Coordinates of all heavy atoms in Angstrom, one line a residue:
M1 N 88.3 20.3 128.9 CA 87.6 21.0 129.9 C 88.5 22.1 130.5 O 89.6 22.0 130.7 CB 87.2 20.1 131.0 CG 86.4 20.7 132.2 SD 85.7 19.6 133.3 CE 87.0 18.6 133.9
C2 N 87.9 23.3 130.7 CA 88.6 24.4 131.3 C 88.1 24.6 132.7 O 87.0 24.5 133.1 CB 88.3 25.7 130.5 SG 89.0 25.7 128.9
T3 N 89.1 24.8 133.6 CA 88.9 25.1 135.0 C 89.7 26.3 135.4 O 90.9 26.3 135.1 CB 89.2 23.9 135.9 OG1 88.5 22.8 135.4 CG2 88.9 24.2 137.3
N4 N 89.1 27.4 135.9 CA 89.8 28.6 136.3 C 90.6 29.2 135.1 O 91.7 29.7 135.3 CB 90.7 28.3 137.5 CG 89.9 28.0 138.7 OD1 88.7 28.2 138.8 ND2 90.6 27.5 139.7
G5 N 90.0 29.1 133.9 CA 90.7 29.6 132.8 C 91.8 28.8 132.2 O 92.5 29.2 131.3
V6 N 92.0 27.6 132.7 CA 93.1 26.7 132.2 C 92.4 25.5 131.5 O 91.6 24.8 132.1 CB 94.0 26.2 133.3 CG1 95.0 25.2 132.8 CG2 94.7 27.4 133.9
N7 N 92.8 25.2 130.3 CA 92.3 24.0 129.6 C 93.1 22.8 130.2 O 94.3 22.6 129.8 CB 92.5 24.1 128.1 CG 92.0 22.9 127.4 OD1 92.1 21.8 127.9 ND2 91.6 23.1 126.1
T8 N 92.6 22.1 131.2 CA 93.3 21.1 131.9 C 93.7 19.9 131.0 O 94.7 19.3 131.2 CB 92.5 20.6 133.1 OG1 91.2 20.2 132.7 CG2 92.4 21.7 134.1
G9 N 92.9 19.6 130.0 CA 93.2 18.5 129.1 C 94.4 18.8 128.3 O 95.4 18.0 128.1
Q10 N 94.5 20.1 127.8 CA 95.7 20.5 127.0 C 96.9 20.6 127.9 O 98.0 20.2 127.5 CB 95.4 21.8 126.3 CG 96.5 22.3 125.4 CD 96.1 23.6 124.7 OE1 95.4 24.4 125.3 NE2 96.5 23.8 123.5
F11 N 96.7 21.1 129.1 CA 97.8 21.2 130.1 C 98.4 19.9 130.4 O 99.6 19.7 130.4 CB 97.3 21.9 131.4 CG 98.3 22.6 132.2 CD1 98.6 23.9 132.0 CD2 98.9 21.8 133.2 CE1 99.6 24.5 132.8 CE2 99.9 22.4 134.0 CZ 100.2 23.8 133.8
T12 N 97.5 18.9 130.6 CA 98.0 17.5 130.9 C 98.8 17.0 129.7 O 99.8 16.4 129.8 CB 96.8 16.6 131.2 OG1 96.1 17.1 132.4 CG2 97.2 15.1 131.4
M13 N 98.3 17.2 128.5 CA 98.9 16.8 127.3 C 100.3 17.4 127.1 O 101.3 16.7 126.8 CB 98.1 17.1 126.0 CG 98.7 16.5 124.8 SD 97.6 16.7 123.3 CE 97.4 18.5 123.3
M14 N 100.5 18.6 127.5 CA 101.8 19.3 127.4 C 102.7 18.7 128.4 O 103.9 18.5 128.2 CB 101.6 20.8 127.6 CG 100.9 21.5 126.4 SD 100.8 23.3 126.5 CE 100.4 23.7 128.1
M15 N 102.2 18.4 129.6 CA 103.1 17.7 130.6 C 103.5 16.3 130.1 O 104.7 15.9 130.3 CB 102.4 17.6 132.0 CG 102.4 19.0 132.7 SD 101.9 18.8 134.4 CE 100.2 18.6 134.3
E16 N 102.6 15.6 129.4 CA 103.0 14.3 128.9 C 104.0 14.5 127.8 O 104.9 13.6 127.7 CB 101.7 13.6 128.3 CG 100.8 13.1 129.4 CD 99.4 12.7 128.9 OE1 99.2 12.8 127.7 OE2 98.7 12.2 129.7
Q17 N 104.0 15.5 127.0 CA 105.0 15.8 126.0 C 106.4 16.0 126.7 O 107.4 15.6 126.2 CB 104.6 17.0 125.1 CG 103.5 16.7 124.2 CD 103.0 17.9 123.4 OE1 103.3 19.1 123.8 NE2 102.3 17.7 122.4
I18 N 106.4 16.8 127.8 CA 107.6 17.0 128.5 C 108.2 15.6 129.0 O 109.4 15.3 128.9 CB 107.4 17.9 129.7 CG1 107.1 19.3 129.2 CG2 108.7 17.9 130.6 CD1 106.6 20.3 130.3
D19 N 107.3 14.8 129.5 CA 107.7 13.5 130.0 C 108.2 12.6 128.9 O 109.3 11.9 129.1 CB 106.5 12.7 130.7 CG 106.9 11.4 131.3 OD1 107.9 11.4 132.1 OD2 106.2 10.4 130.9
D20 N 107.6 12.7 127.7 CA 108.1 11.9 126.6 C 109.5 12.4 126.2 O 110.4 11.6 125.9 CB 107.2 12.1 125.3 CG 105.9 11.4 125.5 OD1 105.8 10.5 126.4 OD2 105.0 11.7 124.7
Q21 N 109.8 13.7 126.2 CA 111.1 14.3 125.9 C 112.1 13.8 126.9 O 113.2 13.5 126.6 CB 111.0 15.8 125.8 CG 112.2 16.4 125.3 CD 112.7 16.0 124.0 OE1 113.7 15.4 123.8 NE2 111.9 16.3 122.9
L22 N 111.7 13.9 128.2 CA 112.6 13.4 129.3 C 113.0 11.9 129.1 O 114.1 11.5 129.3 CB 112.1 13.7 130.6 CG 112.0 15.1 131.1 CD1 111.2 15.3 132.4 CD2 113.3 15.8 131.2
A23 N 112.0 11.1 128.7 CA 112.2 9.7 128.5 C 113.2 9.5 127.4 O 114.1 8.6 127.5 CB 110.9 9.0 128.2
L24 N 113.1 10.3 126.3 CA 114.0 10.2 125.2 C 115.4 10.6 125.6 O 116.4 9.9 125.3 CB 113.6 11.0 124.0 CG 114.5 11.1 122.8 CD1 114.6 9.7 122.2 CD2 114.0 12.1 121.8
Q25 N 115.6 11.7 126.4 CA 116.9 12.1 126.9 C 117.5 11.1 127.8 O 118.7 10.9 127.8 CB 116.7 13.5 127.5 CG 116.3 14.6 126.6 CD 117.1 14.7 125.3 OE1 118.3 14.5 125.3 NE2 116.4 14.9 124.2
R26 N 116.6 10.5 128.6 CA 117.1 9.4 129.6 C 117.7 8.3 128.8 O 118.8 7.7 129.1 CB 116.0 9.0 130.5 CG 116.5 8.0 131.5 CD 115.4 7.1 132.0 NE 115.9 6.2 133.1 CZ 116.6 5.1 132.9 NH1 116.9 4.7 131.7 NH2 117.0 4.4 134.0
R27 N 117.0 7.8 127.8 CA 117.4 6.7 126.9 C 118.8 7.0 126.3 O 119.7 6.2 126.3 CB 116.4 6.4 125.9 CG 116.6 5.1 125.2 CD 115.4 4.6 124.3 NE 114.6 5.6 123.7 CZ 113.4 6.0 124.1 NH1 112.8 5.4 125.1 NH2 112.7 6.9 123.4
W28 N 118.9 8.2 125.7 CA 120.2 8.6 125.1 C 121.3 8.7 126.2 O 122.5 8.3 125.9 CB 120.1 9.9 124.3 CG 119.5 9.6 123.0 CD1 118.3 9.8 122.5 CD2 120.2 9.0 121.9 NE1 118.2 9.4 121.2 CE2 119.3 8.9 120.8 CE3 121.5 8.5 121.7 CZ2 119.7 8.3 119.6 CZ3 121.9 7.9 120.5 CH2 121.0 7.8 119.4
T29 N 121.0 9.2 127.3 CA 122.0 9.4 128.4 C 122.5 8.0 128.8 O 123.7 7.8 129.0 CB 121.4 10.1 129.6 OG1 121.0 11.4 129.1 CG2 122.4 10.3 130.7
H30 N 121.6 7.0 128.9 CA 121.9 5.7 129.3 C 122.8 5.0 128.2 O 123.8 4.4 128.6 CB 120.6 4.8 129.4 CG 120.8 3.4 129.7 ND1 121.1 3.0 131.0 CD2 120.8 2.3 129.0 CE1 121.2 1.7 131.0 NE2 121.0 1.2 129.8
K31 N 122.5 5.2 126.9 CA 123.4 4.7 125.9 C 124.8 5.3 125.9 O 125.8 4.6 125.8 CB 122.8 4.9 124.5 CG 121.5 4.1 124.2 CD 121.0 4.4 122.9 CE 119.7 3.5 122.6 NZ 119.3 3.7 121.2
L32 N 124.8 6.6 126.1 CA 126.1 7.3 126.2 C 126.9 6.9 127.4 O 128.1 6.7 127.3 CB 125.9 8.8 126.2 CG 125.5 9.5 124.9 CD1 125.2 10.9 125.1 CD2 126.5 9.3 123.8
A33 N 126.2 6.7 128.5 CA 126.9 6.2 129.7 C 127.6 4.9 129.5 O 128.8 4.7 129.9 CB 126.0 6.1 130.9
H34 N 126.9 4.0 128.9 CA 127.5 2.6 128.6 C 128.6 2.7 127.6 O 129.6 2.0 127.7 CB 126.4 1.6 128.2 CG 125.6 1.2 129.4 ND1 126.1 0.3 130.3 CD2 124.4 1.5 129.8 CE1 125.2 0.1 131.3 NE2 124.1 0.9 131.0
T35 N 128.4 3.6 126.6 CA 129.5 3.7 125.6 C 130.8 4.3 126.3 O 131.9 3.8 126.1 CB 129.1 4.7 124.5 OG1 127.9 4.2 123.8 CG2 130.2 4.9 123.5
A36 N 130.6 5.3 127.2 CA 131.7 5.8 127.9 C 132.3 4.8 128.8 O 133.6 4.7 128.9 CB 131.3 7.0 128.7
G37 N 131.5 4.0 129.5 CA 132.0 3.0 130.4 C 132.8 1.9 129.7 O 133.9 1.5 130.1
D38 N 132.3 1.5 128.5 CA 132.9 0.5 127.7 C 134.3 1.0 127.2 O 135.2 0.2 126.9 CB 132.0 0.0 126.6 CG 130.8 -0.7 127.0 OD1 130.8 -1.2 128.2 OD2 129.9 -0.9 126.2
A39 N 134.4 2.3 127.0 CA 135.6 2.9 126.5 C 136.6 3.2 127.6 O 137.7 3.7 127.4 CB 135.3 4.1 125.7
G40 N 136.2 2.9 128.9 CA 137.1 3.2 130.0 C 137.1 4.6 130.5 O 137.9 4.9 131.3
F41 N 136.1 5.3 130.2 CA 135.9 6.7 130.7 C 135.1 6.7 131.9 O 133.9 7.0 131.9 CB 135.3 7.6 129.6 CG 136.1 7.7 128.3 CD1 135.5 7.7 127.1 CD2 137.5 7.9 128.4 CE1 136.2 7.8 125.9 CE2 138.2 8.0 127.2 CZ 137.6 7.9 126.0
A42 N 135.6 6.3 133.0 CA 134.9 6.0 134.3 C 134.2 7.3 134.8 O 133.0 7.2 135.2 CB 135.8 5.5 135.3
K43 N 134.9 8.4 134.8 CA 134.3 9.6 135.3 C 133.1 10.1 134.5 O 132.0 10.5 135.0 CB 135.3 10.8 135.4 CG 136.3 10.6 136.6 CD 137.2 11.8 136.6 CE 138.2 11.6 137.8 NZ 139.1 12.8 137.8
T44 N 133.2 10.0 133.2 CA 132.1 10.3 132.3 C 131.0 9.4 132.4 O 129.8 9.8 132.5 CB 132.6 10.3 130.8 OG1 133.7 11.2 130.6 CG2 131.5 10.7 129.8
D45 N 131.2 8.1 132.6 CA 130.2 7.1 132.8 C 129.5 7.4 134.1 O 128.2 7.4 134.1 CB 130.9 5.7 132.9 CG 129.9 4.6 133.2 OD1 128.8 4.6 132.7 OD2 130.3 3.7 134.0
E46 N 130.2 7.8 135.1 CA 129.6 8.1 136.4 C 128.7 9.3 136.3 O 127.6 9.3 136.9 CB 130.7 8.3 137.5 CG 130.3 8.7 138.8 CD 131.4 9.1 139.7 OE1 132.5 8.3 139.7 OE2 131.3 10.1 140.5
R47 N 129.2 10.4 135.7 CA 128.4 11.6 135.5 C 127.1 11.4 134.7 O 126.0 11.9 135.1 CB 129.2 12.7 134.9 CG 130.4 13.2 135.6 CD 130.2 13.6 137.1 NE 131.3 14.2 137.7 CZ 132.4 13.6 138.2 NH1 132.5 12.3 138.1 NH2 133.4 14.3 138.7
L48 N 127.2 10.6 133.7 CA 126.1 10.3 132.8 C 125.0 9.5 133.6 O 123.8 9.7 133.4 CB 126.5 9.6 131.5 CG 127.2 10.6 130.5 CD1 127.8 9.7 129.4 CD2 126.2 11.6 130.0
H49 N 125.5 8.6 134.4 CA 124.5 7.8 135.2 C 123.9 8.7 136.3 O 122.7 8.5 136.6 CB 125.2 6.6 135.9 CG 125.3 5.4 135.0 ND1 126.4 5.0 134.3 CD2 124.3 4.5 134.6 CE1 126.1 3.9 133.6 NE2 124.8 3.6 133.7
A50 N 124.6 9.7 136.7 CA 124.0 10.7 137.7 C 122.9 11.5 137.0 O 121.9 11.7 137.5 CB 125.1 11.6 138.3
I51 N 123.2 11.9 135.7 CA 122.2 12.6 134.9 C 121.0 11.7 134.7 O 119.8 12.2 134.8 CB 122.8 13.0 133.6 CG1 123.9 14.1 133.8 CG2 121.7 13.6 132.7 CD1 124.7 14.4 132.6
Q52 N 121.2 10.5 134.4 CA 120.1 9.5 134.2 C 119.2 9.5 135.5 O 118.0 9.5 135.4 CB 120.7 8.2 133.9 CG 119.7 7.1 133.6 CD 120.4 5.8 133.3 OE1 121.6 5.8 132.9 NE2 119.7 4.7 133.5
E53 N 119.8 9.4 136.6 CA 119.0 9.4 137.9 C 118.2 10.7 138.1 O 117.0 10.7 138.5 CB 119.9 9.2 139.1 CG 120.5 7.8 139.2 CD 121.5 7.7 140.3 OE1 121.5 8.5 141.2 OE2 122.4 6.8 140.2
L54 N 118.8 11.8 137.7 CA 118.1 13.1 137.8 C 116.9 13.2 136.8 O 115.9 13.7 137.1 CB 119.1 14.3 137.5 CG 120.1 14.5 138.6 CD1 121.1 15.6 138.1 CD2 119.5 15.0 139.9
L55 N 117.1 12.6 135.6 CA 116.0 12.6 134.7 C 114.9 11.7 135.2 O 113.7 12.0 135.0 CB 116.5 12.1 133.3 CG 117.4 13.1 132.6 CD1 118.1 12.4 131.4 CD2 116.6 14.3 132.1
D56 N 115.2 10.6 135.9 CA 114.2 9.7 136.5 C 113.4 10.5 137.5 O 112.2 10.4 137.6 CB 114.9 8.5 137.1 CG 115.4 7.5 136.1 OD1 114.9 7.5 135.0 OD2 116.2 6.7 136.5
E57 N 114.1 11.3 138.3 CA 113.5 12.1 139.3 C 112.6 13.1 138.7 O 111.5 13.4 139.2 CB 114.5 12.8 140.2 CG 115.3 11.8 141.1 CD 116.4 12.5 142.0 OE1 116.2 13.8 142.2 OE2 117.3 11.9 142.3
A58 N 113.0 13.7 137.6 CA 112.2 14.7 136.9 C 110.9 14.1 136.4 O 109.9 14.7 136.5 CB 113.0 15.4 135.8
R59 N 111.1 12.9 135.8 CA 109.9 12.2 135.3 C 108.9 11.9 136.4 O 107.7 12.0 136.3 CB 110.3 11.0 134.6 CG 111.0 11.3 133.3 CD 111.2 10.1 132.4 NE 109.9 9.6 131.9 CZ 109.6 8.4 131.5 NH1 110.6 7.5 131.6 NH2 108.4 8.1 131.1
A60 N 109.4 11.5 137.6 CA 108.5 11.3 138.7 C 107.8 12.5 139.2 O 106.6 12.5 139.5 CB 109.3 10.7 139.9
L61 N 108.5 13.7 139.1 CA 107.9 14.9 139.5 C 106.8 15.3 138.5 O 105.8 15.9 138.9 CB 109.0 16.0 139.6 CG 109.9 15.9 140.9 CD1 111.0 16.9 140.8 CD2 109.0 16.1 142.1
I62 N 107.1 15.0 137.2 CA 106.0 15.3 136.2 C 104.8 14.5 136.5 O 103.7 15.0 136.4 CB 106.6 15.0 134.8 CG1 107.6 16.0 134.3 CG2 105.4 14.9 133.8 CD1 107.0 17.4 134.0
A63 N 104.9 13.2 136.9 CA 103.8 12.4 137.2 C 103.1 13.0 138.4 O 101.8 13.0 138.5 CB 104.2 11.0 137.5
D64 N 103.8 13.5 139.4 CA 103.2 14.1 140.6 C 102.5 15.4 140.2 O 101.4 15.7 140.7 CB 104.3 14.5 141.6 CG 104.9 13.2 142.3 OD1 104.3 12.1 142.2 OD2 105.9 13.4 143.0
A65 N 103.1 16.1 139.3 CA 102.4 17.4 138.8 C 101.1 17.1 138.1 O 100.1 17.8 138.3 CB 103.4 18.2 137.9
K66 N 101.1 16.0 137.3 CA 99.8 15.6 136.7 C 98.7 15.3 137.7 O 97.6 15.7 137.5 CB 100.0 14.5 135.7 CG 100.8 14.9 134.4 CD 101.1 13.9 133.4 CE 100.5 12.6 133.5 NZ 101.0 11.6 132.5
D67 N 99.1 14.5 138.7 CA 98.2 14.2 139.8 C 97.7 15.5 140.5 O 96.5 15.6 140.8 CB 98.8 13.2 140.8 CG 99.1 11.9 140.2 OD1 98.4 11.5 139.2 OD2 99.9 11.1 140.8
A68 N 98.7 16.4 140.8 CA 98.3 17.6 141.5 C 97.4 18.5 140.6 O 96.4 19.1 141.1 CB 99.6 18.4 141.8
L69 N 97.6 18.5 139.3 CA 96.7 19.2 138.4 C 95.3 18.7 138.5 O 94.3 19.5 138.6 CB 97.2 19.2 137.0 CG 96.3 19.9 136.0 CD1 96.2 21.4 136.2 CD2 96.8 19.6 134.5
E70 N 95.2 17.4 138.5 CA 93.9 16.8 138.6 C 93.2 17.2 139.9 O 92.0 17.5 139.9 CB 94.0 15.2 138.6 CG 92.8 14.5 138.1 CD 93.2 13.0 137.8 OE1 93.9 12.7 136.9 OE2 92.7 12.2 138.7
E71 N 93.9 17.1 141.0 CA 93.3 17.5 142.3 C 93.0 19.0 142.3 O 91.9 19.3 142.8 CB 94.3 17.2 143.4 CG 94.5 15.7 143.7 CD 95.6 15.5 144.8 OE1 95.8 16.4 145.6 OE2 96.2 14.4 144.8
D72 N 93.9 19.8 141.8 CA 93.6 21.2 141.8 C 92.4 21.6 141.0 O 91.6 22.4 141.4 CB 94.8 22.0 141.3 CG 96.0 22.1 142.3 OD1 95.7 21.8 143.5 OD2 97.1 22.4 141.8
A73 N 92.2 20.9 139.9 CA 91.1 21.1 139.0 C 89.8 20.7 139.7 O 88.7 21.4 139.6 CB 91.2 20.4 137.7
E74 N 89.8 19.6 140.5 CA 88.6 19.2 141.2 C 88.3 20.2 142.3 O 87.1 20.4 142.7 CB 88.9 17.8 141.8 CG 88.9 16.7 140.8 CD 89.2 15.4 141.4 OE1 89.3 15.3 142.7 OE2 89.4 14.4 140.7
N75 N 89.3 20.8 142.9 CA 89.1 21.7 144.0 C 89.1 23.2 143.6 O 89.3 24.1 144.4 CB 90.2 21.6 145.1 CG 90.2 20.2 145.7 OD1 89.1 19.6 145.8 ND2 91.4 19.7 146.0
G76 N 88.9 23.4 142.3 CA 88.9 24.8 141.7 C 87.8 25.6 142.3 O 87.0 25.2 143.2
S77 N 87.7 26.8 141.7 CA 86.7 27.8 142.2 C 85.3 27.4 141.9 O 84.3 28.1 142.3 CB 87.0 29.1 141.6 OG 86.7 29.1 140.2
G78 N 85.1 26.3 141.3 CA 83.7 25.9 140.9 C 83.3 26.3 139.6 O 82.2 26.0 139.1
V79 N 84.2 27.1 138.9 CA 83.9 27.5 137.5 C 84.5 26.5 136.6 O 85.7 26.3 136.5 CB 84.5 28.9 137.3 CG1 84.2 29.4 135.8 CG2 83.9 29.9 138.3
T80 N 83.6 25.8 135.9 CA 84.0 24.8 134.9 C 83.3 25.0 133.6 O 82.1 25.3 133.6 CB 83.7 23.4 135.4 OG1 84.4 23.2 136.7 CG2 84.2 22.3 134.5
V81 N 84.0 25.0 132.5 CA 83.4 25.1 131.2 C 83.6 23.8 130.5 O 84.8 23.3 130.3 CB 84.1 26.3 130.4 CG1 83.5 26.4 129.0 CG2 83.9 27.6 131.2
S82 N 82.5 23.2 130.0 CA 82.6 21.9 129.2 C 81.9 22.1 127.9 O 80.9 22.8 127.8 CB 81.9 20.8 130.0 OG 82.5 20.6 131.3
L83 N 82.5 21.4 126.9 CA 81.9 21.4 125.6 C 80.7 20.4 125.6 O 80.8 19.3 126.1 CB 82.9 20.9 124.5 CG 82.4 20.8 123.1 CD1 82.0 22.3 122.6 CD2 83.5 20.3 122.2
V84 N 79.5 20.9 125.2 CA 78.3 20.0 125.2 C 77.8 19.7 123.8 O 78.1 20.4 122.8 CB 77.2 20.6 126.0 CG1 77.5 20.4 127.4 CG2 76.9 22.0 125.6

């Protein structure tokens, strides 16, 4: 469905792809953090865990953006194009 010239379904799918990529990067960051910690690299472990937290925050913001898109689409200018 398009609202105000934006295909909201496709837009949502693209945000989901970003979220999937962030989830993958978080998983790898987590693995690297534990590898560094197990090797005694405390500062590296600490920094990687900080990155992991930032990736969690980014994923939460993506979820918020998807909710906001839904709300914005509902409150759009009233111009909606649907395939029939």
Side-chain angles (χ1 to χ4, degrees):
M1 178 170 57
C2 290
T3 303
N4 294 346
V6 175
N7 182 329
T8 54
Q10 186 177 34
F11 201 91
T12 299
M13 186 173 58
M14 291 186 316
M15 285 193 285
E16 288 170 355
Q17 289 174 341
I18 293 170
D19 184 52
D20 290 344
Q21 187 58 247
L22 290 172
L24 177 64
Q25 298 307 319
R26 186 206 184 276
R27 190 167 36 251
W28 276 105
T29 301
H30 180 76
K31 289 180 181 187
L32 288 173
H34 284 286
T35 300
D38 292 346
F41 300 137
K43 287 183 181 180
T44 303
D45 178 40
E46 179 184 317
R47 298 306 191 279
L48 287 168
H49 275 102
I51 292 168
Q52 185 179 335
E53 290 175 20
L54 291 171
L55 290 169
D56 288 338
E57 290 176 26
R59 292 190 69 205
L61 288 171
I62 289 287
D64 291 347
K66 286 177 16 183
D67 291 341
L69 175 65
E70 205 171 288
E71 289 177 25
D72 286 342
E74 288 175 8
N75 299 326
S77 69
V79 177
T80 302
V81 179
S82 300
L83 180 64
V84 286

